[in-house]
Amino acid sequence: MALERTLSIIKPDAVGKNVIGAIYNRFETAGFRIVAAKMMHLSTEQAEGFYAEHKERPFFRALVDFMTSGPIMVQVLEGEDAVKRHRDIMGATNPTDALAGTLRADYAVSIDENAVHGSDALESAAREIAYFFTEEELCARTR
Ligand code: UDP
């Protein structure tokens, strides 16, 4: 296993439910270190750019509308095997398929409003982290 970084987003539905701290607690309990974080209200252009790979999908417009409907929390998580372990903690895209105890089982209401995002591979993690953070904004956690 290797030390990895992955991008996490707490989506507008979960921010609206006031569960940022509860979700951060899950990350820290799982052994992740938060090495960068910010609250943002995405513009349409920012949301379209982030989800560009889905632009031909039927749900794209609704996804952009949802992701711009309120503030989000964006963070970079660091830890061993972070990309896969973060996906495991998140649970399946559709909350009805998500295992009990996962973030989506606990906080998502539907496949469209599913509480959290997490990078799905090391390559996409690098691209997504760079989409939101400069190199200088990523803090070394040495203590
Ligand atoms: N999505 C949606 N309807 C669908 C499939 C996906 O609204 O039928 C949204 C949902 O918010 C999902 C995002 O598009 O989280 C990206 O989809 P992907 O398949 O990459 O799922 P994820 O990696 O987020 O689990």
Side-chain angles (χ1 to χ4, degrees):
M1 276 195 299
L3 194 64
E4 294 177 353
R5 286 174 169 176
T6 191
L7 188 87
S8 153
I9 299 177
I10 303 176
K11 296 184 178 183
D13 56 330
V15 171
K17 285 184 180 140
N18 225 17
V19 292
I20 295 169
I23 292 174
Y24 272 28
N25 188 35
R26 300 271 188 104
F27 294 154
E28 293 190 321
T29 301
F32 293 118
R33 289 175 297 276
I34 297 167
V35 299
K38 61 180 148 191
M39 182 174 273
M40 305 176 71
H41 194 143
L42 295 182
S43 67
T44 299
E45 292 70 27
Q46 284 173 315
E48 286 174 349
F50 183 72
Y51 281 116
E53 67 181 297
H54 293 308
K55 67 174 184 295
E56 306 304 335
R57 309 280 288 276
F59 57 81
F60 181 70
R61 221 52 265 161
L63 175 59
V64 169
D65 287 347
F66 164 57
M67 289 300 290
T68 57
S69 66
I72 60 171
M73 276 302 299
V74 189
Q75 43 283 322
V76 178
L77 307 180
E78 181 182 85
E80 292 289 327
D81 203 16
V83 172
K84 180 181 183 304
R85 288 204 306 117
H86 178 226
R87 295 282 299 187
D88 290 345
I89 289 170
M90 287 166 51
T93 309
N94 189 338
T96 60
D97 300 329
L99 296 179
T102 60
L103 291 170
R104 281 168 166 167
D106 290 345
Y107 299 119
V109 290
S110 67
I111 192 168
D112 318 275
E113 302 210 352
N114 61 3
V116 286
H117 167 85
S119 310
D120 62 1
L122 259 187
E123 301 70 43
S124 50
R127 185 182 69 246
E128 292 176 0
I129 290 168
Y131 193 81
F132 289 113
F133 297 98
T134 65
E135 199 59 45
E136 294 70 39
E137 288 176 313
L138 305 174
C139 297
R141 294 284 304 269
T142 49
R143 291 178 61 138

